[in-house]
Amino acid sequence: MTTITFDTLKFVETLKDSGFDEKQAKGMAVAIREAQTNNLEELATKRDLAEVKRDLAEVKADMIKWVAGMFIAQSALIVGAVFTLFRAFPATSGNRGNPNEIW
């Protein structure tokens, strides 16, 4: 855990020189030390950030694999559906070239 040095004695003396009594100055020093300690526990270290970057890279690679796989699967499904439609409704050689006849 990362620590920040905080000279409480100097802080208390500075507050006392500014007009605080000793009890108030010590209370302020304790409060500030606790606030710093609580805030430091929530901070991310460089190691934490590197771990998050590594995890994100793994997720990105997995997403690319899934997207590529789904693209291939959808393409195969569409091609299969088109071939199935062509087999189900074969073209007749009747009046294909005559634009005046609809049916």
Side-chain angles (χ1 to χ4, degrees):
M1 183 173 106
T2 307
T3 59
I4 296 177
T5 56
F6 177 61
D7 188 356
T8 54
L9 179 61
K10 183 176 179 183
F11 183 72
V12 168
E13 288 175 358
T14 302
L15 289 177
K16 284 174 33 180
D17 291 343
S18 299
F20 285 83
D21 64 17
E22 188 167 347
K23 185 176 179 182
Q24 289 174 328
K26 285 182 179 179
M28 292 276 290
V30 169
I32 289 177
R33 172 170 266 167
E34 286 177 2
Q36 285 181 336
T37 303
N38 291 339
N39 289 338
L40 286 177
E41 291 173 358
E42 296 175 5
L43 292 178
T45 63
K46 289 182 181 181
R47 180 178 291 162
D48 294 335
L49 295 177
E51 185 177 324
V52 168
K53 282 184 180 181
R54 188 185 74 243
D55 291 345
L56 286 175
E58 290 175 11
V59 169
K60 181 180 176 182
D62 287 343
M63 286 181 63
I64 290 172
K65 289 177 192 175
W66 275 99
V67 168
M70 292 304 293
F71 175 76
I72 292 169
Q74 287 177 350
S75 298
L77 181 67
I78 291 170
V79 169
V82 169
F83 280 129
T84 302
L85 287 173
F86 278 134
R87 284 187 182 191
F89 303 105
T92 58
S93 61
N95 297 321
R96 290 182 109 187
N98 190 351
N100 294 327
E101 282 191 41
I102 297 175
W103 301 104

